[in-house]
Amino acid sequence: MCGIVGYVGKRRAAPILIDGLYELEYRGYDSVGIAVSDGNTTKIIKKTGRVKEIESAREETGYIGIGHTRWATHGDVTVENAHPHTYKNITLVHNGIIENAAKLRAELMQRGEKFYSDTDSEVIAHLIADESCGDLLSAVMRGCGKLVGSYALAVLTEEEPETIVCARMRSPLIVGKAKEGLVVASDIPAVAEEGAELYSLDDGEFSRLDGKTVTIYNAQGSEIHKEPIQFDLAEGRAEKGVYRHYMRKEIDEIPNVLSDSTLKIDCDSRFSDFYRVLCHAEYIQIVACGTAYHSGLCAKAAIERLCRVPVDVRIASEYRYADPIVPKGTLLFAISQSGETADTLAAVRLAKRKGACVAAIVNVKYSSLTRLADHVLYTQAGREVAVAATKSFNAQLAVLYSVAVVLAEIRGKRAPTLNGLDKKAKRTIGISESVRSWVPYFVGAQSVYFIGREADMCTALEGSLKLKEISYLPSEGYAAGELKHGTLALIGPYTPVVAIITRRDIAQKTMNAVHEAYSRGAKIFLVTCFEEFCEEKEITAFVLIPKCPSEFSPILSVIPLQLLAYYTSVARGNDPDKPRNLAKSVTVE
Ligand code: F6R
């Protein structure tokens, strides 16, 4: 995580760095800093907290600089641990984790070198300074040769006052030309502007920005040429408009995102190559993390029921250490909004080594996952700013359900249509506003439970994750039938239990769990498409969502849960867009 940015050119660097850091805040926001040089001295301004804490640094003079917004990995959230870090003539910002930092630090300290922070990043500054030889690029290359782990780096030295050297290993990095200068950043929106020419570095590559030219080198130090990124300025821009928070706005975008993300085999070029792969799919694995993992679980429920193709869904961070069995012909879906989640990328590398064909379902174009995968199916969610995933989850489901429909057709099975889900999502959002009246029951709760069966259980898991990450309330998503095997012990008077019921043939089974929870004093909240259950005496409040094929119901039933999490978070005085301890793009293990 962490975001880095740099500029060298004819404009003053500080405002460009600060504006860029605002765009990168989604990557971490516990401390922030910039280094700006006027050619003679390098001034470092750093603070704990968000980018706004260094607003006054906008006035700094100097035409070259680097900046950083941090998500702490090594070391507490303190000014000392904030970036940039400096040693002798070297100043740098780093995103990633250096796994051999403790060993390197011990060696350097034995040689008498002093450290001022607890970070792994400061070790890199020492290594590069120790390699200094009048050529910053060579020093960075040699310094990086000693590192084990992941890094995206931007490095300055006063000895080369018009140069920034950059390096990438398993953490994203963009370099390029912008208006009257050269730029580097963790992500496109931080530096994109009209006429900018941007390039994405790959693992092991370096770049030198030296006043007028951007040069890119491979790991052996040979110059290489790359195609510029085709970015869309409008796509990268995100405004809150009339909304108080991005999260609420992004929920309202779900209907459009669904119509844009639903793939149609007869007129969709995104399917053309991939169709042949689907024709031979006999066994599917899915790897993902967090919300994307939950969309994988929803996909399993739909694909197995509709297509009778076995699907294994694995948490990416577990898959990579499990020595997974990857039978010949395995089709592996990697699902990720950011396309940069370190665990998902590592799982994909492993699956590829074991012979799987990898299809990425990803939102961010030019992300690392898109370059690793054999096939890419983009979700069309647009930029998602709020840390808690909402519209990207629904978009992943739209793509995965489209795949399920096509796979069912290939296998000669009948599948329901996805048509009209966008309109139903719009109605669901309107109806679900009523969850605001549920908030008083949740706002002070000690714990909250979400229950459902089969696809509804997947929705329960996602509803629970949403609530805990932005409201900080302990919560669990549970298979309704499992309550009685232990968890019921935790349910007492006034415990909020949210039941999701969208599949007719097992509805009554979930209602049994509702009765059991109610008998222990729980307050029951219901999300369902069946009117008859709403009137039962156990139900404190309900949202009656539109009917849709039960295989696809999570795409609608999650909406009231997203809104419930949002309104509970706001009622507890939290910032739902930037929950504590989290970041949007999890580029560390
Ligand atoms: C929860 C959330 C996270 C992400 C997870 C994977 O709201 O956003 O759980 O889903 O970190 O991220 P991506 O999808 O970028 O791989």
Side-chain angles (χ1 to χ4, degrees), residues 357-373:
C357 169
V358 175
I361 294 177
V362 63
N363 197 39
V364 176
K365 305 203 172 69
Y366 295 98
S367 55
S368 303
L369 184 56
T370 63
R371 297 206 292 279
L372 265 182

Side-chain angles (χ1 to χ4, degrees), residues 145 263 278:
L263 310 179
L278 279 186

Side-chain angles (χ1 to χ4, degrees), residues 437-457:
S437 68
W438 300 12
V439 171
Y441 296 94
F442 287 73
V443 80
Q446 281 184 342
S447 55
V448 178
Y449 296 87
F450 291 81
I451 59 168
R453 280 174 194 266
E454 214 253 341
D456 292 333
M457 184 204 68

Side-chain angles (χ1 to χ4, degrees), residues 289-292 335-339 341 387-389 396 465-466 469 586:
C289 301
T291 289
I335 310 171
S336 175
Q337 189 283 131
S338 64
T341 300
V387 165
Q396 286 160 359
L465 176 62
K466 223 67 331 174
E469 71 179 318
V586 187

Side-chain angles (χ1 to χ4, degrees), residues 23-237:
E23 294 293 335
L24 294 173
E25 254 190 337
Y26 74 90
R27 304 178 66 84
Y29 35 81
D30 60 38
S31 38
V32 60
I34 59 169
V36 187
S37 170
D38 61 6
N40 296 314
T41 49
T42 304
K43 187 163 176 190
I44 294 180
I45 301 110
K46 46 191 196 177
K47 296 266 173 68
T48 57
R50 298 190 183 176
V51 179
K52 63 178 169 27
E53 301 302 327
I54 58 160
E55 263 298 331
S56 57
R58 255 180 211 280
E59 305 310 319
E60 294 298 330
T61 51
Y63 296 88
I64 180 167
I66 51 179
H68 187 273
T69 177
R70 180 169 186 247
W71 184 85
T73 55
H74 285 59
D76 299 350
V77 179
T78 61
V79 173
E80 293 73 24
N81 289 337
H83 297 221
H85 289 286
T86 186
Y87 182 66
K88 293 188 180 162
N89 54 348
I90 295 297
T91 304
L92 61 74
V93 287
H94 166 224
N95 164 213
I97 288 187
I98 305 305
E99 289 165 11
N100 58 341
K103 182 170 168 277
L104 292 168
R105 175 190 280 257
E107 285 166 13
L108 294 165
M109 285 174 77
Q110 233 170 21
R111 295 200 332 230
E113 296 189 12
K114 278 207 168 63
F115 283 81
Y116 298 93
S117 76
D118 305 318
T119 63
D120 52 348
S121 313
E122 195 184 356
V123 172
I124 312 175
H126 282 244
L127 293 178
I128 296 173
D130 290 347
E131 294 289 347
S132 277
C133 54
D135 175 27
L136 181 60
L137 177 66
S138 308
V140 171
M141 284 178 167
R142 283 202 293 272
C144 287
K146 298 181 179 156
L147 302 174
V148 177
S150 59
Y151 49 84
L153 293 173
V155 190
L156 298 179
T157 176
E158 281 160 12
E159 285 158 16
E160 292 177 48
E162 290 190 4
T163 304
I164 302 175
V165 170
C166 315
R168 171 194 161 134
M169 180 61 76
R170 301 215 168 113
S171 291
L173 204 57
I174 308 289
V175 294
K177 294 180 188 168
K179 220 186 289 167
E180 301 176 291
L182 308 178
V183 288
V184 50
S186 300
D187 195 4
I188 299 169
V191 286
E193 57 185 7
E194 209 62 65
E197 198 178 294
L198 304 175
Y199 304 88
S200 182
L201 294 190
D202 283 304
D203 287 346
E205 291 178 352
F206 298 86
S207 178
R208 186 210 295 265
L209 318 180
D210 76 349
K212 290 202 187 67
T213 16
V214 180
T215 322
I216 301 174
Y217 304 87
N218 64 17
Q220 290 70 45
S222 309
E223 206 176 313
I224 54 171
H225 294 280
K226 298 200 140 203
E227 288 302 311
I229 296 171
Q230 303 298 320
F231 63 86
D232 178 351
L233 262 186
E235 215 173 82
R237 225 168 259 142

